[in-house]
């Protein structure tokens, strides 16, 4: 773990200590078995919710923690360093609540947000489709108005928590007006006609369920639309800026975990009569790993502080997501190298870290999309 965190308040420092305690007692002892069994850790989310760690960036009046993003992301990094799948799940859950908080009416927020933030209800986010991943404006899933209801038909791919969530934040087309024809809905998991396809058989994050969600004439009340018709894509994209910071923090947590394992191993393993860490070739590799991890942390914290100050942060969120996930991929790969043959076995977690970080370069917008976002923003500035 980081040698020390510079937290803005005594309360936030206590939150870090609480998170580390839960990670040590509840997450680390369970992660290996759950990952190998592909077992979804639903109880872990309840534990985090009851401790107030699922609701940190939301106001206290709705059951949130009232913490700045700078604090929330560092808590998220601590969770991910213990269990990446849970860290990803916390980030996705926060993203699933984003639309309700920022676009919902006061009545909607007071009605639904406290239960969503308390950990008893787990969220999922439905934006991508099989043919519309990096181009969400090409989505085909439709929501047709029928009296006081909407009827949703279509499918949503790559849904984290697909089939195990309690509610789904769904983007669906309400008109043929391109990007301006998409609306946002809050869909209960119990809705008739809503089901999950067979979960994806993934390279990593085995205990995190990812599935295509099938909407077969799912009827929901119009009061479950968030914002006005046609506002769905702006709601989705605004949430993605914050979600990208979440993934940056998760990737940094996994990189830190890999660095910790590599340093411990290099201190204990001896070759040619001295610890591996005393050989310059390995020592410099570890130094580069530390530099990559700490620079990723600094990058996401800068973007978070811009967000907390109410300033534009979209470009910085994309930079943070790109840098943190690319760095994590390199750090985890190098951690395997430090451990040598042992790193390629499942006796050590670094091979898992390496598999887990690969997808972080892909979801919440591929790193190629991040480069496009950054370059377009530069062109406008």
């Amino acid at each position: 773990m980081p040698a020390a965190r510079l937290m803005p308040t005594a309360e936030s420092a206590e939150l870090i200590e609480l998170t580390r305690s839960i990670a040590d007692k509840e997450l680390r002892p369970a992660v290996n078995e759950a990952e190998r069994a592909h077992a979804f850790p639903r109880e872990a989310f309840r534990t985090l919710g009851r401790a107030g760690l699922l609701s940190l960036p939301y106001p206290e009046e709705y059951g949130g923690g009232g913490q700045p993003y700078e604090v929330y992301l560092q808590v998220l990094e601590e969770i991910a360093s213990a269990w990446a799948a849970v860290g990803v799940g916390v980030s996705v859950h926060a993203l699933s609540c984003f639309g309700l908080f920022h676009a919902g009416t006061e009545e909607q927020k007071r009605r639904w947000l406290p239960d969503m933030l308390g950990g008893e209800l787990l969220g999922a986010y439905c934006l991508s489709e099989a043919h519309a991943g990096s181009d969400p404006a090409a989505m085909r899933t439709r929501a047709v108005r029928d009296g006081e209801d909407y009827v949703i038909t279509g499918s949503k791919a790559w849904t984290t928590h697909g089939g195990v969530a309690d509610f789904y934040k769904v983007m669906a087309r309400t008109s043929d007006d391109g990007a301006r024809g998409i609306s946002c809905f809050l869909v209960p998991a119990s809705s008739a006609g809503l089901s999950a396809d067979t979960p994806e058989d993934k390279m990593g994050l085995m205990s995190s369920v990812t599935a295509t969600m099938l909407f077969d004439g799912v009827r929901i009340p119009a009061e479950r639309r968030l914002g006005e018709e046609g506002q769905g894509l702006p709601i989705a994209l605004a949430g993605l800026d914050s979600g990208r910071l979440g993934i940056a923090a998760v990737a940094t947590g996994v990189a830190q975990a890999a660095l910790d394992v590599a340093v411990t191993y290099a201190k204990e393993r001896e070759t040619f009569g001295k610890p591996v860490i005393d050989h310059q070739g390995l020592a410099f590799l570890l130094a580069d790993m530390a530099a990559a991890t700490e620079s990723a942390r600094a990058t996401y914290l800068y973007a978070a502080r811009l967000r907390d100050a109410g300033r534009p942060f979209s470009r910085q969120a994309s930079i943070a997501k790109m840098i943190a996930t690319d760095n994590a991929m390199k750090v985890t790969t190098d951690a395997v190298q430090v451990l040598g043959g042992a790193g390629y076995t499942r006796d050590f977690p670094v091979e898992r870290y390496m598999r887990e970080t690969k997808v972080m370069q892909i979801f919440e917008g591929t790193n190629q999309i991040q480069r496009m976002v950054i370059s377009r923003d530069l062109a406008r500035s």
Side-chain angles (χ1 to χ4, degrees):
M1 65 179 63
R5 289 192 182 274
L6 186 61
M7 304 303 294
T9 63
E11 180 186 7
S12 60
E14 290 172 359
L15 279 171
I16 291 293
E17 292 308 312
L18 172 63
T19 306
R20 287 176 174 173
S21 176
I22 292 174
D24 288 340
K25 294 176 182 176
E26 306 290 341
L27 302 184
R28 286 189 174 89
V31 58
N32 288 336
E33 182 178 346
E35 285 291 324
R36 289 177 181 176
H38 295 208
F40 181 67
R42 183 64 180 85
E43 195 56 36
F45 292 100
R46 290 193 181 94
T47 298
L48 293 170
R50 290 164 187 162
L53 299 180
L54 285 187
S55 60
L56 290 177
Y58 291 97
E60 294 177 359
E61 63 183 300
Y62 302 114
Q67 293 294 317
Y69 236 67
E70 172 188 359
V71 172
Y72 158 66
L73 292 178
Q74 293 188 80
V75 166
L76 184 56
E77 183 193 328
E78 292 286 347
I79 293 169
S81 70
W83 195 338
V86 175
V88 168
V90 172
S91 181
V92 167
H93 178 76
L95 182 60
S96 302
C97 299
F98 183 94
L100 175 56
F101 176 67
H102 287 276
T105 65
E106 189 63 27
E107 180 183 355
Q108 287 173 322
K109 288 188 280 191
R110 294 197 180 280
R111 182 176 177 184
W112 296 315
L113 201 53
D115 285 341
M116 290 160 61
L117 296 178
E120 296 305 314
L121 298 181
L122 187 66
Y125 181 77
C126 295
L127 176 63
S128 295
E129 298 181 7
H131 55 278
S134 296
D135 181 16
M139 71 174 62
R140 298 172 187 165
T141 296
R142 298 195 74 93
V144 177
R145 186 71 182 251
D146 183 18
E148 294 302 311
D149 299 332
Y150 283 90
V151 179
I152 303 177
T153 303
S155 62
K156 289 291 180 178
W158 310 113
T159 304
T160 300
H161 300 159
V164 297
D166 300 296
F167 67 92
Y168 296 84
K169 177 183 171 183
V170 180
M171 306 300 159
R173 183 165 295 286
T174 46
S175 81
D176 293 323
D177 191 15
R180 292 181 292 275
I182 295 166
S183 301
C184 180
F185 301 90
L186 198 62
V187 180
S190 59
S191 301
L194 177 60
S195 62
D197 206 348
T198 303
E200 304 292 346
D201 188 9
K202 308 191 300 289
M203 177 191 293
L205 300 176
M206 304 305 195
S207 62
S208 176
V209 181
T210 305
T212 294
M213 297 303 299
L214 308 174
F215 296 80
D216 185 10
V218 175
R219 182 177 290 271
I220 61 167
E223 66 180 7
R224 284 190 166 270
R225 187 191 70 219
L226 303 179
E228 300 299 322
E229 279 198 4
Q231 290 184 344
L233 197 55
I235 292 171
L237 296 180
L240 282 178
D241 283 339
S242 297
R244 284 165 180 162
L245 292 183
I247 295 306
V250 169
T252 303
V254 180
Q256 183 68 57
L259 174 62
D260 292 344
V261 172
V263 169
T264 298
Y265 186 88
K267 287 179 178 179
E268 296 174 351
R269 171 73 170 168
E270 291 191 359
T271 59
F272 304 103
K274 60 182 180 181
V276 169
I277 200 169
D278 289 339
H279 295 281
Q280 189 178 82
L282 262 295
F284 281 13
L285 185 61
L286 291 166
D288 287 343
M289 292 164 65
T293 303
E294 293 196 21
S295 62
R297 182 176 298 117
T299 303
Y300 84 64
L301 284 174
Y302 173 66
R305 288 164 183 155
L306 287 176
R307 185 189 190 279
D308 290 334
R311 294 172 59 179
F313 70 100
S314 182
R315 183 207 302 180
Q316 288 75 21
S318 286
I319 290 172
K321 194 271 183 183
M322 181 184 75
I323 292 296
T325 57
D326 281 351
N327 284 10
M329 190 72 250
K330 185 177 189 308
V331 169
T332 55
T333 302
D334 287 346
V336 172
Q337 190 71 20
V338 170
L339 270 66
Y344 199 67
T345 72
R346 295 196 175 183
D347 294 336
F348 291 88
V350 289
E351 59 82 28
R352 171 163 58 82
Y353 298 152
M354 182 178 173
R355 289 184 286 105
E356 289 170 337
T357 52
K358 181 63 226 177
V359 74
M360 297 177 196
Q361 295 177 299
I362 298 171
F363 57 23
E364 300 287 10
T366 67
N367 284 4
Q368 287 69 36
I369 289 293
Q370 305 312 319
R371 288 170 169 84
M372 186 173 72
V373 170
I374 296 162
S375 61
R376 286 179 176 177
D377 189 71
L378 290 171
R380 287 192 299 266
S381 61

